[in-house]
Amino acid sequence: MISNPNKHMEHLEDSVINNGVIGARDSIKFLQSLRNMLNGDSNTAVNTTVKWDGAPAVIVGRKEGKLFVATKSYFSKNSKYYQSVDEINNADIPEDLKYKLNACLYYLKDLKTDVILQGDLLFTHNDLRTEVIEGENMVVFHPNTIVYAVPRKSELGKTICKSTLGIVWHTVYSGDGASYDFNINMINQIKDVFMIDANYQDVSGTATFTKDESKEVTKILSDAGKVFKKIDSKLLNNIALDKHCVSMIKIHYNLMVRNGKTVTDSRKHVHSLQRFLKERVAKEIDALKTDKGKEKKEDTLANVLFLASCSPMKLQPIFELQKLLVDAKLLIIKKLNNAAKLKTFLKTSNGYKLTGEEGYVAVSNGNAVKLVDRLEFSYANFSDDIIKGWDNDTRN
């Protein structure tokens, strides 16, 4: 059984809440390493991969020499995987997913691997389209929220056009552990299957900080270090140890993001959070019918109640640190996007809107966090104005 499957990855700034003082320190170090990388320091210790917006997640490997395919349900307690067309067709899964898994099973049959691979399906041949975007004929595929486009006459465009399947591999499992250090050269190429790894490469030479850009990020990280020293370490660690505190803090932040808001003033944010916590706890307690149940719930949420009523000044440095981490992260994401291999768009009823990559994953010493512009992609994921890949009639 794999002990740490890649099923869900946390945002870099959430490490402050998830892991307390250690998480806060690691987040600053992650960003410092990324800054160093973008300064041209090849000795940086952080590995960076691109988050591709593919769907579904695909798990492949071999059992007794026979290829199997699966989705993330492979990692569930009752692991599900498929080694034949009949097994897929008889499974209680959507028809579109059956088609995609059958395509993977057939076209990856010659894959030679003694490990388990995880990736994201980018396209089957039927998903490819030719569209004119910004006056140029592009081959496009739209697996999820982001539309990927490449000039049809380019070498990459020609390769994709003749491919039966497209997949990006990003995680390899050996023994019971996961590694994000996957390179496409670790496996054999398969004719007419477009396979890539997710490793970040600045092939364009444009994703390097200017002196002023580096100075700006360094200033933010310096401020973050100063704020970090002001945090009550015992309070922060206690928050991280209480799953209810962690959950409710993140729920409050996610609700803000969905409404198109982010932290601009940590003092106001703390007041908003404390109001939210009081209302949330009161609602959960009032929903119970017995005094005994109410008392038990109050005990369970004691730490949340403490946060809701403690001095805002004790909490403010925690969220000021998160704000600074996000500020630095967004500058880094903006620069990383310069090296995108494919053009990325959002599809609207009025045409295509240029967007960045879904995000990036930073890995150091076995720890991985994602760097995502949460405001942009929350809008993309939840807005009815953005047409999703699953809205395409050919996929129904």
Side-chain angles (χ1 to χ4, degrees), residues 10-11 19 98-100 118 149 167 173 187 201-202 222 231 246 293 311 319 323 360:
E10 295 284 350
H11 293 279
N19 302 312
K98 291 180 182 179
Y99 171 77
K100 291 184 183 300
Q118 180 176 347
I167 192 164
Y173 300 96
I187 58 175
Q201 289 180 302
D202 181 14
S222 175
I231 291 175
V246 172
S311 168
F319 297 99
K323 173 189 173 298
Y360 301 88

Side-chain angles (χ1 to χ4, degrees), residues 3-19:
S3 59
N4 59 338
N6 181 6
K7 296 173 69 176
H8 175 73
M9 199 169 290
E10 295 284 350
H11 293 279
L12 176 136
E13 62 271 20
D14 283 346
S15 293
V16 177
I17 303 300
N18 293 330
N19 302 312

Side-chain angles (χ1 to χ4, degrees), residues 194-255:
F194 177 69
M195 296 193 299
I196 56 174
D197 58 43
N199 292 322
Y200 173 83
Q201 289 180 302
D202 181 14
V203 294
S204 65
T206 60
T208 304
F209 275 143
T210 65
K211 185 176 180 180
D212 286 343
E213 288 169 338
S214 178
K215 185 177 179 180
E216 184 178 6
V217 173
T218 298
K219 171 65 166 59
I220 294 172
L221 293 177
S222 175
D223 290 343
K226 293 173 185 176
V227 171
F228 176 56
K229 293 177 181 178
K230 296 178 182 179
I231 291 175
D232 182 330
S233 58
K234 183 177 180 180
L235 173 63
L236 181 57
N237 284 335
N238 284 340
I239 289 173
L241 289 171
D242 191 298
K243 64 180 181 180
H244 302 289
C245 289
V246 172
S247 175
M248 289 195 186
I249 289 172
K250 291 201 284 190
I251 288 172
H252 172 254
Y253 188 78
N254 288 334
L255 287 172

Side-chain angles (χ1 to χ4, degrees), residues 339-377:
K341 294 180 181 178
L342 282 71
K343 289 188 176 181
T344 48
F345 299 88
L346 298 175
K347 189 174 184 179
T348 74
S349 56
N350 295 319
Y352 288 98
K353 174 186 175 184
L354 191 66
T355 190
E357 297 278 7
E358 184 196 358
Y360 301 88
V361 176
V363 185
S364 180
N365 298 321
N367 297 317
V369 291
K370 59 185 178 183
L371 296 89
V372 175
D373 184 337
R374 294 170 85 166
L375 274 185
E376 180 175 1
F377 285 99

